[in-house]
């Protein structure tokens, strides 16, 4: 089992930027593909971005492509999500998770989850 703790959320104006972090402990972080998901108020959790265990491969939801960047530092056991040009619809709780399944876009492919960090975008 991997313990995950997200941080870096907060209140930001539309057009602004935030960088989320996900600190991992427990089993070897570098052996896991990882993902970011978000859950807007009153909605289901949705895929944001994914990254392979080495960091060499990434994927994004169409809604964030070109504005968000997922990365990882295996030496620091940390996953990141750089979010630029944030829009109102980005308001959500953001979660990181370890992926053990095949489909990176499906929450069911993910095993361990953090507690989430709140991102609020204001106009």
């Amino acid at each position: 089992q991997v313990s995950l703790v997200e941080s870096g959320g907060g209140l930001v104006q539309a057009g602004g930027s935030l960088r989320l972090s996900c600190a991992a402990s427990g089993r070897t972080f570098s052996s896991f593909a990882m993902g970011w998901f978000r859950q807007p108020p009153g909605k289901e959790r949705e895929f944001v971005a994914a990254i392979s265990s080495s960091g060499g491969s990434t994927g994004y939801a169409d809604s964030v492509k070109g504005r968000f960047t997922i990365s990882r530092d295996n030496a620091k056991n940390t996953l990141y999500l750089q979010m630029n040009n944030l829009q109102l619809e980005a308001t959500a709780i953001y979660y990181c998770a370890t992926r053990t399944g095949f489909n990176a876009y499906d929450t069911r492919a993910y095993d361990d989850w953090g507690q989430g960090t709140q991102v609020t975008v204001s106009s």
Side-chain angles (χ1 to χ4, degrees):
Q1 186 175 2
V2 177
S3 177
L4 302 170
V5 179
E6 302 94 337
S7 61
L11 176 64
V12 62
Q13 284 192 324
S17 298
L18 281 175
R19 188 194 197 200
L20 305 184
S21 298
C22 170
S25 61
R27 295 174 64 186
T28 306
F29 174 73
S30 60
S31 66
F32 289 97
M34 300 290 295
W36 284 100
F37 285 75
R38 66 187 180 187
Q39 187 161 14
K43 297 184 178 181
E44 293 186 353
R45 197 168 297 189
E46 62 186 28
F47 171 78
V48 174
I51 190 167
S52 62
S53 58
S54 68
S57 178
T58 59
Y60 298 90
D62 288 343
S63 59
V64 307
K65 202 171 293 183
R67 298 185 297 114
F68 288 17
T69 302
I70 187 172
S71 62
R72 66 191 298 163
D73 186 337
N74 285 342
K76 295 183 178 179
N77 288 348
T78 304
L79 176 73
Y80 303 100
L81 184 68
Q82 177 67 44
M83 305 186 295
N84 297 330
N85 191 19
L86 283 161
Q87 304 301 307
L88 296 178
E89 56 266 26
T91 294
I93 300 174
Y94 284 72
Y95 300 90
C96 62
T98 57
R99 181 162 66 88
T100 55
F102 177 74
N103 187 349
Y105 300 89
D106 190 341
T107 58
R108 293 171 294 181
Y110 292 79
D111 192 3
D112 301 303
W113 293 81
Q115 84 290 345
T117 186
Q118 176 71 50
V119 171
T120 303
V121 183
S122 64
S123 58

